[in-house]
Amino acid sequence: MVQEAFAAAGERFELPPGEVEGPLCADRPCVIEGGGSTLWAAHGPVLTVTSPGVTIRNLRVEVTESGDQTAIQSEAPDLVLLDYEMPVCDGRHVFEMLRSEEEFADIPVMFLTSKDDEEVVTKILSLKPEGYLLKYLKATEIKKRIDDYLKMRKAG
């Protein structure tokens, strides 16, 4: 159902609010606006990105207990945003897993979190991510910082 809606959408695809059953394959450059939705699938990957130029905003991807434990498949994303505090595996651990895998080691990672105490900031910055953004910033400021980083990376 969600794949058919995506196929009919143009350059911008907005998911309906709430829980949305996948899977979803983003096979063309576009913006997927989650609007806070949760995308999930009972089996196989929840979200597969096969095209460059795909931007995903404000979308939670959830792996179900009974399905394949691969949540997202992609060639190589332009950027990964990680929260420091996540329910199963914290952002630091996910970051270290990404860096330990040769195929993912060069993918840029920014932390987007509400944690701003000195101890946590020091721990995160010691990992050398590409950025550290605080959730309490206005959404427009977060987007601007991410867009600026992506433009700088593309230019350079």
Side-chain angles (χ1 to χ4, degrees):
M1 201 169 4
V2 71
Q3 189 65 47
E4 291 82 16
F6 175 79
E11 293 179 6
R12 182 178 177 89
F13 176 60
E14 293 187 35
L15 285 161
E19 293 190 2
V20 179
E21 184 174 1
L24 175 61
C25 177
D27 55 2
R28 67 178 187 281
C30 64
V31 174
I32 298 174
E33 181 58 61
S37 301
T38 299
L39 181 66
W40 64 276
H43 301 286
V46 178
L47 175 63
T48 304
V49 179
T50 60
S51 172
V54 175
T55 300
I56 302 168
R57 295 189 180 129
N58 200 16
L59 175 65
R60 177 185 167 137
V61 177
E62 189 173 297
V63 178
T64 61
E65 294 296 324
S66 63
D68 179 343
Q69 293 301 300
T70 304
I72 301 172
Q73 288 184 339
S74 174
E75 291 300 313
D78 296 323
L79 177 69
V80 172
L81 292 175
L82 283 180
D83 196 338
Y84 185 74
E85 291 185 318
M86 297 187 289
V88 176
C89 178
D90 72 22
R92 180 185 178 101
H93 186 75
V94 172
F95 184 89
E96 290 170 345
M97 289 188 312
L98 286 169
R99 291 296 181 252
S100 71
E101 296 290 329
E102 187 176 326
E103 66 183 296
F104 303 120
D106 295 327
I107 297 172
V109 175
M110 285 187 178
F111 280 87
L112 176 64
T113 185
S114 60
K115 301 300 266 179
D116 63 354
D117 59 270
E118 187 176 341
E119 182 182 339
V120 172
V121 172
T122 302
K123 284 180 183 179
I124 292 173
L125 293 179
S126 72
L127 298 170
K128 299 186 169 93
E130 280 64 28
Y132 184 86
L133 303 169
L134 293 168
K135 287 182 179 178
Y136 62 72
L137 294 171
K138 290 183 179 179
T140 54
E141 179 63 23
I142 293 171
K143 181 183 178 316
K144 180 187 180 316
R145 291 183 186 192
I146 292 169
D147 289 345
D148 289 349
Y149 170 79
L150 293 172
K151 286 176 191 172
M152 179 192 71
R153 181 170 164 88
K154 198 176 248 185

